[in-house]
Amino acid sequence: MARYNPKEIEPKWRTRWNEASAFKTSADRARPKYYVLEMFPYPSGRIHMGHVRNYAMGDVIARFKRARGHNVLHTMGWDAFGLPAENAAMQTGAHPGTWTYSNIDHMRRELQQIGLAIDWSREFATCDVGYYRWQQKLFLDFWNAGLVERRESYVNWDPVDMTVLANEQVIDGKGWRSGAVVERKKLSQWFLKITDKAEDLLAALDDGRLKGWPDNVRLMQRNWIGKSKGLRMKFRFAGDAKSPDGAGDVEVYTTRPDTLFGASFIAVAPDHPLASSFAAADKGARAFIAECQKAGTSQEAIDKAEKKGFRLPIEAEHPFIGGRRLPVYIANFILMGYGTGAIFGCPAHDERDFDFAKKYRLDIIPVVLPPSADPADVKIVDEPYIGPGALYNSDFLNGLAVDAAIEASIAKIEAMGRGEASTQFRLRDWGVSRQRFWGCPIPAIHCEKCGVQPVPEKDLPVELPEVDAAVFKTPGNPLDRMPEWRNVPCPACAGPARRETDTFDTFVDSSWYFERFATDPAGWAKGPVDKGDCDYWLPVDQYIGGIEHAILHLLYARFFTRAMKDVGHVSIDEPFANLFTQGMVTHATYQDAEGRWLLPDEVIIEGGTARRANDGAPVRIGPIEKMSKSKKNVVSPVDIIEKYGADAARWFILSDSPPERDVEWTDAGAAGAWKLVARIWETVEPYAGVVGACDLSAAPAKASADLRRATHATVAAVTEDIDHFRFNKAIARIYEFLNALKKAGDADGWAKAEALSALIRLIAPFTPHLAEECWEVLGGEGLVCNAPWPTVDPALLAKDEVVLPVQVNGKRRAEIVVAASADQKATEAAALGDADVRRHLEGLTIRKVVVVPGRIVNIVAS
RNA sequence: GCGGGCGUGGCGGAACCGGUAGACGCAACGGACUUAAAAUCCGUUGAGGGAAACCUCGUGUGGGUUCGAGUCCCACCGCCCGCACCA
C-alpha cells in the first residue's frame, strides 16, 4: 500500500484544477447564483492561521454550493493601501509599492497552497491604478450627489511624525510610534455624509433586511448609530445680556425635557462657540479650556476625570419660571460633537449633573416622584433618581408620567417658539482624509480664486507619483513636498492651484471591493462596476470575517452601497445578506526564566512541563492567547502544510471548535488531522475502481441496510451541518461514518461503493486534494470538485425498531426495543412487561404512565 | 456604569421543540505487532461503591416549575465581548 504523500498529491491536483479552469466563474445565469466572500487580506507578506481558518470556511461553503448546483462566485484580492508599507519604506528604504506588490506575490503563493476554489482571474489590489481610479470617480459622483463635505475637525496630531493618528494609534495619549504626546489639532478634512443615511442604516438592522446577520453585530451597530429623540431648545441670557460675540442665547439638547423644572445650570463644551467667545478676553476661561484639551482621551482618563466647570459671567433664564436664573458653565464632560454641545443640568435626575451640582453646590430640585413615594419623604442625597415616576414640583406637568411629560414639555416649548423636537445620532460623519502617501489620492484641487474644485473626470486617474524611497525618511506626507506633483492649473480658471495631498482612509478601499469582484474583468476598464453583473451577483450571499470589523468596515460598506445606489451604480442597499463572524486562532504562550517569549518550535513539552529545546532550560507555560508576533505564540501555516499537508491543516482548523468561537491550535490536534487524512486514504485504497465499476443509479442491492442507513443519515446530517456553519459537527459525523464503515466489513460491494462515493464527496469541501486523489482511485467520474453532492433517500433513514429508555419516577431503569410503529398502548405494555422495570416497581402502585412515542417512557409510582 | 453572551469529563466540545448527559476528537491507561522505539491496530476511560448484575451522585451555586430540567423561571457567583461622561 502506497503511503499517502500530500507533498506530491496536493500540488498535482492544484495543477489539474488550473488546467481545467475548474473555478473560473461561470457566465451561466440559469443556475441559482451564490456569492461567498471572505474579508480580503492585507498583504502583510505572510499568511497566518487566522487566514487559513477564514478562507477554509469560505472554501467549504464555496465547494459545497458548487456541488449543490449553484453558480458560485468566489474571489480573492488585496486590501493593499495603508500604513505598514510606509513604515517599511521608512525602515528599509523600499518603495511602498514595491514592498506591497512583492508581498502580494509571496502571499498569493502561500494562499494558493491551501487549495482554495477561487477564481484568480478576478484578483486585484486596491492599490492598482485600475481600481483606485474608479474609486476617485465614485467620490466625484458622491460629491455631485451632495454626499461629500469638507469642513474643519479635530484630529489626533503627532507632532514628531507630523501626521494624523487614528484613535487606536493613540496609546495613553501618546503616538504609538513616536511616543510624543498627541495634540488635538483642527484641520480641514473631507467627510462622507454617512449621517444622511443614519436613519436607514438603523432601520435596516431591524426590518428584516439583515436577518442573516448575528444579533450581536446588529446590536453593536445599533449602539454605534445611537439614535435618541429629544428636544433642542434655546435658553435666553438673563437681562438681555450678550456673549462677547453677540449671542443672546444658547441652544441645548436634551432627551429629558420633562425635567426642565429641575434645571439648575447650563453647561457648554470647552470647544463650544460660547466658550471660545468668552475665552478670547478671559485668561481664566482660556486656561480652563486648555486644561480640558490636554486631558487624555483614553477611556481610563475619562473614567477617572473629575467633573469640572468654569463659571461664565452670564446667566440664563428659565423658560417657564420667571425670575429663576441658571448659572452658565464651561464643563469638561460636555461633548461638542453630540447634540448642540450644550445642556441644561438637572442634578436630581442625572448622574453627571448630580456630580457636578454637588461639587459646585448647585440646587438639586427633584421633579420625578418614584412610584408610590410620598413627596414629603423624597430626598436626593447620595444619588440621583433615574427611574420612572410622576412629575411634581413642575407646574403644568404635575401628575404626568415621564413619557407624557416629555411630550407635553416639547409641545409647550414648540408653542413658545423656543425650540423643537429633534432626533440625534451618535454616529458622526465619516472623516476620510489621511495625511498619507500610500493611499488613493482624493481627486480635488485647491484654487485660491475658485476654492476647492473636483478634478475633472477626463483627468482621472490622479495617480500617485513615482518617488524615491528616500522621501519616507522625512516625517510627514511626501506628497506635500512634491511641487511638481502638487502644483497644477485650476480646472476652472486655469490659474495656479494645488492638488489635495490627503489620501483616502483605507476603509474607503474596502467599501466597494465586493462589487468590483462581481464585475466581469472584461468590464473593469469601463467603470467602477458593471450594474448588470452586480444585479446578478449581489448581494453577497455569505460574508465571512472577523468580529473586529463588526462596526466600522461593515457600516462603511453598508453606507457606500447606499451611496452607489443613489448615483446609479448598483440597485441594492444592503451588500451582505448573511454574515458570519469567525473566532480567533489561539495558542499557548511560552516564556523562559528571563521572561522572553519563545516560539512553540523552541519548546519541548513532556508530561505537562516544558523545557527549552536547545538547552533544556525550564519554560513557563502561559495562558492561551490569540496568536501574535509579540508573544511569539505563532505557528506558521506554511510549516504545517509542509509537515502535514494543506488538507490536514484545513481539517483540523475546522474540526475542533464551533466556527464562531476561538480555536486553540495544538500540535496534537494537527497530528490527529493528519492521521485522519491517512486513514481515509487507507480506507479507500483497497477499493480501487469500485465506484467506477458499480452502477450506483441502478437498483440497489437489498442487503446491508445498516451501512446504507449510515450512509444516507450521514449525508443528511453533514448537509444540514454545513448549511448551518457547524463544521465541527459535520466533521464529527464523518468520523462516525468512518467508524461505521470499518465495522461494516461484510456489507455487500454495492453498498460499500455507495458509501465510499458519498464519503469522498462529503469530505471534498474540507480536504479537496485528498478527495480528488481518492475519487480518481475509486474510478469516480471527472473531478470530484465538479461532482454533484450526494442525495439522501429518506426511506432509508427509517428504522424498523427503536430502543426506548424506560424511567421509573424519572430515573432511567431499563431499555426496551419496540417496533418503530408501536402506538402508546403497545409501548406501555412493553415497558410494563420488562423484567428490570418490574423489579423497580415491586411494592409500588403505578399512578401514571407517560409515553412519548419514539422518545421515552416514564412510569410514576409510589 | 450600560448592553450582550457564556459556565457540561483531564482538554476542545455534542445533546433537535424539556425526553437515555458526555456524540466525535484529543490526551491518558491497558493490550497486540516490534530486538526496541515510532507509526498502526484492538480495548478502557465522568466520580464513588460493588466480584458481578447493578446502585448512588453528577452539567458554576441556591431555590422553583414539571411525570421528567444541561435545556424553562427567580436569585447569586465567575468568565468573555462591545460601548462608555452621547445629555
Side-chain angles (χ1 to χ4, degrees), chain A residues 53-75:
Chain A
R53 194 171 194 212
N54 191 200
Y55 299 124
M57 284 179 195
D59 204 47
V60 168
I61 298 296
R63 289 173 181 272
F64 173 70
K65 291 292 177 181
R66 280 171 57 88
R68 302 274 281 170
H70 288 83
N71 189 19
V72 169
L73 179 62
H74 190 209
T75 52

Side-chain angles (χ1 to χ4, degrees), chain A residues 349 366-378 385 387-392 400 402:
Chain A
H349 303 293
V367 292
V368 178
L369 189 63
S372 68
D374 182 338
D377 297 341
V378 173
Y385 177 70
L391 274 287
Y392 71 126
L400 293 176
V402 166

Side-chain angles (χ1 to χ4, degrees), chain A residues 237 263-268 310-317 324-330 343-345 356 360-363:
Chain A
F237 295 133
S264 56
F265 66 95
I266 300 285
V268 304
F310 180 86
R311 174 101 186 240
L312 292 174
I314 199 163
E315 286 178 319
E317 280 177 357
R324 186 183 302 173
R325 296 185 158 201
L326 310 178
V328 179
Y329 288 84
I330 305 171
I343 60 138
F344 77 79
F356 192 79
Y360 294 102
R361 300 182 186 282
L362 302 171
D363 293 340

